[in-house]
Amino acid sequence: MPRIHFQLQLAELKDKLLAMAALAQLAVESAVDAYLNRDQGLCQYVKQNETAINTAQRELDEMAYELLAKEQPDGHRSALHPCRHQDQRRPGAHRRPVDGISRRTRDIIKSEEVELPVDYAAMGEYSGRMIRTAIQSLLEGDARLADTVREMDDEIDRMNRRAHADLLKLIQERPMYTQQAMNGLMVSRSLERIADHASNIATDVIFWIRGADVRHQLSLSMD
Protein backbone atom coordinates (compact mmCIF):
# COMPACT_ATOMS: atom_id res chain seq x y z
CA MET A 1 0.00 0.00 0.00
CA PRO A 2 2.72 2.57 0.79
CA ARG A 3 4.31 2.02 -2.63
CA ILE A 4 0.95 2.33 -4.40
CA HIS A 5 0.28 5.55 -2.50
CA PHE A 6 3.69 6.86 -3.53
CA GLN A 7 3.05 6.05 -7.20
CA LEU A 8 -0.28 7.87 -7.06
CA GLN A 9 1.37 10.92 -5.50
CA LEU A 10 4.12 10.82 -8.10
CA ALA A 11 1.53 10.71 -10.88
CA GLU A 12 -0.24 13.71 -9.34
CA LEU A 13 3.06 15.55 -9.12
CA LYS A 14 3.70 14.95 -12.81
CA ASP A 15 0.19 16.21 -13.66
CA LYS A 16 0.83 19.41 -11.72
CA LEU A 17 4.18 19.87 -13.42
CA LEU A 18 2.53 19.46 -16.82
CA ALA A 19 -0.18 21.98 -15.89
CA MET A 20 2.43 24.49 -14.73
CA ALA A 21 4.37 24.01 -17.96
CA ALA A 22 1.21 24.78 -19.93
CA LEU A 23 0.74 27.98 -17.93
CA ALA A 24 4.37 28.95 -18.56
CA GLN A 25 4.02 28.35 -22.28
CA LEU A 26 0.82 30.41 -22.34
CA ALA A 27 2.64 33.19 -20.51
CA VAL A 28 5.36 33.28 -23.18
CA GLU A 29 2.84 33.29 -26.03
CA SER A 30 0.74 36.01 -24.40
CA ALA A 31 3.75 38.19 -23.60
CA VAL A 32 4.96 38.03 -27.20
CA ASP A 33 1.46 38.79 -28.52
CA ALA A 34 1.19 41.73 -26.13
CA TYR A 35 4.51 43.09 -27.38
CA LEU A 36 3.69 42.66 -31.06
CA ASN A 37 0.20 44.16 -30.70
CA ARG A 38 1.05 46.81 -28.07
CA ASP A 39 -1.72 45.36 -25.95
CA GLN A 40 -1.64 46.67 -22.38
CA GLY A 41 -4.65 44.56 -21.41
CA LEU A 42 -2.76 41.43 -22.45
CA CYS A 43 0.16 42.58 -20.30
CA GLN A 44 -2.20 42.52 -17.32
CA TYR A 45 -3.27 39.01 -18.27
CA VAL A 46 0.39 37.93 -18.29
CA LYS A 47 0.76 39.32 -14.77
CA GLN A 48 -2.32 37.41 -13.58
CA ASN A 49 -1.04 34.26 -15.24
CA GLU A 50 2.25 34.68 -13.37
CA THR A 51 0.28 34.62 -10.11
CA ALA A 52 -1.27 31.32 -11.17
CA ILE A 53 2.18 29.94 -12.00
CA ASN A 54 3.49 30.96 -8.58
CA THR A 55 0.60 29.17 -6.89
CA ALA A 56 1.25 26.03 -8.94
CA GLN A 57 4.94 26.32 -8.07
CA ARG A 58 4.25 26.33 -4.33
CA GLU A 59 1.99 23.28 -4.62
CA LEU A 60 4.61 21.50 -6.71
CA ASP A 61 7.35 22.29 -4.19
CA GLU A 62 5.26 20.98 -1.28
CA MET A 63 4.47 17.72 -3.06
CA ALA A 64 8.06 17.19 -4.23
CA TYR A 65 9.56 17.74 -0.77
CA GLU A 66 6.95 15.48 0.81
CA LEU A 67 7.81 12.67 -1.59
CA LEU A 68 11.54 13.21 -1.20
CA ALA A 69 11.20 12.92 2.57
CA LYS A 70 9.82 9.40 2.28
CA GLU A 71 11.91 6.26 2.17
CA GLN A 72 11.85 5.27 -1.49
CA PRO A 73 14.24 3.62 -3.95
CA ASP A 74 17.03 5.86 -5.18
CA GLY A 75 15.60 5.78 -8.66
CA HIS A 76 12.46 7.53 -7.50
CA ARG A 77 14.44 10.19 -5.69
CA SER A 78 16.47 10.75 -8.84
CA ALA A 79 13.29 11.10 -10.87
CA LEU A 80 12.21 13.91 -8.57
CA HIS A 81 15.52 15.74 -8.80
CA PRO A 82 14.57 17.96 -11.79
CA CYS A 83 11.26 18.81 -10.09
CA ARG A 84 13.07 20.17 -7.05
CA HIS A 85 14.78 22.73 -9.24
CA GLN A 86 11.72 24.06 -11.02
CA ASP A 87 11.82 27.21 -8.86
CA GLN A 88 15.08 28.00 -10.66
CA ARG A 89 14.31 26.41 -14.01
CA ARG A 90 10.78 27.47 -14.76
CA PRO A 91 10.35 30.26 -17.32
CA GLY A 92 9.76 33.51 -15.43
CA ALA A 93 11.56 32.51 -12.22
CA HIS A 94 13.68 34.98 -10.25
CA ARG A 95 14.45 37.62 -12.90
CA ARG A 96 11.19 36.80 -14.67
CA PRO A 97 11.96 37.22 -18.40
CA VAL A 98 8.24 36.99 -19.25
CA ASP A 99 7.53 39.95 -16.97
CA GLY A 100 10.45 41.70 -18.64
CA ILE A 101 8.71 41.41 -22.01
CA SER A 102 5.56 42.91 -20.49
CA ARG A 103 7.55 45.83 -19.10
CA ARG A 104 9.06 46.47 -22.51
CA THR A 105 5.58 46.39 -24.02
CA ARG A 106 4.36 49.07 -21.61
CA ASP A 107 7.38 51.17 -22.58
CA ILE A 108 6.82 51.02 -26.33
CA ILE A 109 3.12 51.85 -26.04
CA LYS A 110 4.23 55.40 -25.24
CA SER A 111 6.53 55.66 -28.28
CA GLU A 112 6.14 55.71 -32.05
CA GLU A 113 5.37 52.32 -33.56
CA VAL A 114 8.30 50.97 -35.55
CA GLU A 115 8.60 47.71 -37.48
CA LEU A 116 11.73 46.04 -36.14
CA PRO A 117 13.79 43.58 -38.26
CA VAL A 118 13.20 40.66 -35.88
CA ASP A 119 10.72 37.78 -36.10
CA TYR A 120 9.62 37.80 -32.47
CA ALA A 121 6.67 35.52 -33.21
CA ALA A 122 9.06 32.83 -34.47
CA MET A 123 11.34 33.27 -31.46
CA GLY A 124 8.39 33.00 -29.08
CA GLU A 125 7.04 29.89 -30.82
CA TYR A 126 10.48 28.30 -30.73
CA SER A 127 10.93 29.03 -27.03
CA GLY A 128 7.47 27.63 -26.30
CA ARG A 129 8.30 24.47 -28.23
CA MET A 130 11.46 24.07 -26.15
CA ILE A 131 9.40 24.32 -22.95
CA ARG A 132 6.99 21.63 -24.16
CA THR A 133 9.77 19.32 -25.27
CA ALA A 134 11.80 19.76 -22.08
CA ILE A 135 8.82 18.94 -19.87
CA GLN A 136 7.92 15.97 -22.09
CA SER A 137 11.48 14.64 -21.75
CA LEU A 138 11.18 14.96 -17.96
CA LEU A 139 7.81 13.25 -17.70
CA GLU A 140 8.84 10.43 -20.04
CA GLY A 141 12.39 10.09 -18.73
CA ASP A 142 13.65 10.45 -22.32
CA ALA A 143 17.28 11.55 -22.53
CA ARG A 144 17.28 11.54 -26.33
CA LEU A 145 14.37 13.96 -26.34
CA ALA A 146 16.25 16.10 -23.83
CA ASP A 147 19.19 16.11 -26.24
CA THR A 148 16.98 17.73 -28.89
CA VAL A 149 16.15 20.56 -26.49
CA ARG A 150 19.82 21.33 -26.00
CA GLU A 151 20.28 21.27 -29.78
CA MET A 152 17.34 23.66 -30.16
CA ASP A 153 19.03 26.00 -27.69
CA ASP A 154 21.81 26.52 -30.24
CA GLU A 155 19.23 27.75 -32.75
CA ILE A 156 17.56 30.20 -30.35
CA ASP A 157 21.03 31.53 -29.50
CA ARG A 158 21.64 32.08 -33.20
CA MET A 159 18.29 33.87 -33.56
CA ASN A 160 19.15 36.10 -30.60
CA ARG A 161 22.57 37.00 -32.04
CA ARG A 162 21.00 37.83 -35.40
CA ALA A 163 18.37 39.99 -33.69
CA HIS A 164 21.05 41.89 -31.79
CA ALA A 165 23.10 42.48 -34.94
CA ASP A 166 20.08 43.70 -36.94
CA LEU A 167 18.83 45.96 -34.14
CA LEU A 168 22.23 47.51 -33.54
CA LYS A 169 22.43 48.19 -37.28
CA LEU A 170 19.01 49.87 -37.08
CA ILE A 171 20.24 52.09 -34.24
CA GLN A 172 23.26 53.13 -36.30
CA GLU A 173 21.23 53.87 -39.42
CA ARG A 174 18.15 55.37 -37.74
CA PRO A 175 19.13 56.67 -34.29
CA MET A 176 15.70 58.24 -33.79
CA TYR A 177 14.43 54.69 -33.16
CA THR A 178 17.02 53.83 -30.53
CA GLN A 179 14.47 53.44 -27.72
CA GLN A 180 12.32 51.02 -29.71
CA ALA A 181 15.36 49.05 -30.84
CA MET A 182 16.75 48.83 -27.31
CA ASN A 183 13.42 47.51 -26.09
CA GLY A 184 13.54 45.01 -28.92
CA LEU A 185 17.00 43.90 -27.82
CA MET A 186 15.70 43.21 -24.31
CA VAL A 187 12.72 41.24 -25.61
CA SER A 188 15.00 39.07 -27.74
CA ARG A 189 17.27 38.49 -24.77
CA SER A 190 14.29 37.57 -22.57
CA LEU A 191 13.14 34.95 -25.07
CA GLU A 192 16.66 33.53 -25.22
CA ARG A 193 16.71 33.31 -21.41
CA ILE A 194 13.37 31.49 -21.40
CA ALA A 195 14.88 28.98 -23.81
CA ASP A 196 17.86 28.66 -21.47
CA HIS A 197 15.53 27.60 -18.65
CA ALA A 198 14.12 24.85 -20.89
CA SER A 199 17.63 23.75 -21.80
CA ASN A 200 18.55 23.58 -18.10
CA ILE A 201 15.62 21.25 -17.46
CA ALA A 202 16.79 19.05 -20.32
CA THR A 203 20.31 19.02 -18.87
CA ASP A 204 18.92 17.82 -15.54
CA VAL A 205 16.98 15.07 -17.31
CA ILE A 206 20.12 13.86 -19.09
CA PHE A 207 22.02 13.83 -15.81
CA TRP A 208 19.21 11.86 -14.15
CA ILE A 209 18.90 9.28 -16.95
CA ARG A 210 22.51 8.83 -18.01
CA GLY A 211 24.31 9.80 -14.83
CA ALA A 212 26.53 12.10 -16.91
CA ASP A 213 26.75 15.74 -15.95
CA VAL A 214 26.66 17.35 -19.39
CA ARG A 215 27.13 20.77 -17.83
CA HIS A 216 30.59 19.68 -16.69
CA GLN A 217 31.31 18.23 -20.13
CA LEU A 218 30.32 21.51 -21.76
CA SER A 219 32.58 23.53 -19.46
CA LEU A 220 35.51 21.23 -20.29
CA SER A 221 34.89 21.54 -24.02
CA MET A 222 35.06 25.33 -23.74
CA ASP A 223 38.42 25.30 -21.93
Side-chain angles (χ1 to χ4, degrees), residues 68 72-84 138 204-205 207-209:
L68 285 165
Q72 296 295 335
D74 290 341
H76 290 308
R77 288 200 295 270
S78 297
L80 290 171
H81 171 75
C83 299
R84 289 184 294 150
L138 172 60
D204 280 348
V205 171
F207 177 70
W208 159 41
I209 298 297

Coordinates of all heavy atoms in Angstrom, one line a residue, residues 68 72-84 138 204-205 207-209:
L68 N 10.1 13.4 -1.4 CA 11.5 13.2 -1.2 C 11.8 12.8 0.2 O 12.9 12.2 0.5 CB 12.3 14.5 -1.6 CG 12.5 14.8 -3.1 CD1 12.9 16.2 -3.3 CD2 13.5 13.8 -3.7
Q72 N 12.2 5.9 -0.2 CA 11.8 5.3 -1.5 C 13.1 4.9 -2.2 O 14.2 5.3 -1.8 CB 11.1 6.3 -2.4 CG 9.7 6.7 -1.8 CD 8.8 5.5 -1.7 OE1 8.9 4.6 -2.5 NE2 7.8 5.6 -0.8
P73 N 13.0 4.0 -3.2 CA 14.2 3.6 -3.9 C 14.9 4.8 -4.5 O 14.3 5.8 -4.9 CB 13.7 2.7 -5.1 CG 12.4 2.2 -4.5 CD 11.8 3.3 -3.6
D74 N 16.2 4.7 -4.7 CA 17.0 5.9 -5.2 C 16.5 6.3 -6.5 O 16.6 7.5 -6.9 CB 18.5 5.5 -5.3 CG 19.1 5.3 -3.9 OD1 18.6 5.9 -3.0 OD2 20.2 4.7 -3.8
G75 N 16.1 5.4 -7.3 CA 15.6 5.8 -8.7 C 14.5 6.8 -8.6 O 14.4 7.7 -9.4
H76 N 13.6 6.6 -7.6 CA 12.5 7.5 -7.5 C 13.0 8.9 -7.0 O 12.5 9.9 -7.5 CB 11.4 7.0 -6.5 CG 10.7 5.8 -7.0 ND1 10.0 5.8 -8.2 CD2 10.5 4.6 -6.4 CE1 9.5 4.6 -8.4 NE2 9.7 3.9 -7.3
R77 N 13.9 8.9 -6.1 CA 14.4 10.2 -5.7 C 15.1 10.9 -6.8 O 15.0 12.1 -7.0 CB 15.4 10.0 -4.5 CG 14.7 9.6 -3.2 CD 15.6 9.9 -2.0 NE 16.8 9.0 -2.0 CZ 16.8 7.8 -1.5 NH1 15.8 7.3 -0.9 NH2 18.0 7.1 -1.5
S78 N 15.8 10.1 -7.7 CA 16.5 10.8 -8.8 C 15.4 11.3 -9.8 O 15.6 12.4 -10.4 CB 17.3 9.7 -9.6 OG 18.4 9.2 -8.7
A79 N 14.3 10.6 -10.0 CA 13.3 11.1 -10.9 C 12.7 12.4 -10.4 O 12.3 13.2 -11.2 CB 12.2 10.1 -11.0
L80 N 12.8 12.7 -9.1 CA 12.2 13.9 -8.6 C 13.2 15.0 -8.6 O 12.9 16.2 -8.4 CB 11.7 13.7 -7.1 CG 10.5 12.8 -6.9 CD1 10.3 12.5 -5.5 CD2 9.3 13.5 -7.5
H81 N 14.5 14.7 -8.9 CA 15.5 15.7 -8.8 C 15.2 16.9 -9.7 O 15.3 18.1 -9.2 CB 16.9 15.1 -9.2 CG 18.0 16.1 -9.4 ND1 18.6 16.8 -8.3 CD2 18.5 16.6 -10.5 CE1 19.5 17.6 -8.8 NE2 19.5 17.5 -10.1
P82 N 14.8 16.8 -11.0 CA 14.6 18.0 -11.8 C 13.4 18.8 -11.2 O 13.4 20.0 -11.4 CB 14.2 17.4 -13.2 CG 14.9 16.0 -13.2 CD 14.8 15.5 -11.7
C83 N 12.4 18.1 -10.6 CA 11.3 18.8 -10.1 C 11.7 19.7 -9.0 O 11.1 20.8 -8.8 CB 10.2 17.8 -9.6 SG 9.5 16.7 -10.8
R84 N 12.7 19.3 -8.2 CA 13.1 20.2 -7.0 C 13.7 21.5 -7.5 O 13.8 22.4 -6.7 CB 14.1 19.4 -6.2 CG 13.5 18.3 -5.4 CD 14.6 17.7 -4.5 NE 15.6 17.0 -5.3 CZ 16.9 17.0 -4.9 NH1 17.3 17.5 -3.8 NH2 17.8 16.4 -5.7
L138 N 11.2 15.2 -19.4 CA 11.2 15.0 -18.0 C 10.1 13.9 -17.6 O 10.4 13.0 -16.9 CB 11.0 16.3 -17.2 CG 10.7 16.2 -15.7 CD1 12.0 15.5 -15.0 CD2 10.5 17.5 -15.1
D204 N 19.2 18.6 -16.7 CA 18.9 17.8 -15.5 C 18.4 16.4 -15.9 O 18.7 15.4 -15.2 CB 17.9 18.6 -14.7 CG 18.5 19.7 -13.8 OD1 19.8 19.7 -13.7 OD2 17.8 20.5 -13.3
V205 N 17.5 16.4 -16.9 CA 17.0 15.1 -17.3 C 18.1 14.1 -17.8 O 18.1 13.0 -17.4 CB 15.9 15.3 -18.4 CG1 15.5 13.9 -19.0 CG2 14.7 16.0 -17.9
F207 N 21.2 14.2 -17.0 CA 22.0 13.8 -15.8 C 21.3 12.7 -15.0 O 21.9 11.8 -14.6 CB 22.3 15.0 -14.9 CG 23.0 14.7 -13.7 CD1 24.3 14.4 -13.7 CD2 22.4 14.8 -12.4 CE1 25.0 14.1 -12.5 CE2 23.0 14.5 -11.3 CZ 24.4 14.1 -11.3
W208 N 20.0 12.9 -14.9 CA 19.2 11.9 -14.2 C 19.2 10.5 -14.9 O 19.5 9.5 -14.3 CB 17.8 12.4 -14.0 CG 16.7 11.4 -13.7 CD1 16.8 10.3 -12.9 CD2 15.4 11.3 -14.3 NE1 15.7 9.5 -13.0 CE2 14.8 10.1 -13.8 CE3 14.7 12.1 -15.2 CZ2 13.5 9.8 -14.1 CZ3 13.4 11.8 -15.5 CH2 12.8 10.6 -15.0
I209 N 19.0 10.5 -16.2 CA 18.9 9.3 -17.0 C 20.3 8.6 -17.2 O 20.4 7.4 -17.0 CB 18.2 9.5 -18.3 CG1 16.8 10.1 -18.1 CG2 18.2 8.2 -19.1 CD1 15.9 9.1 -17.4

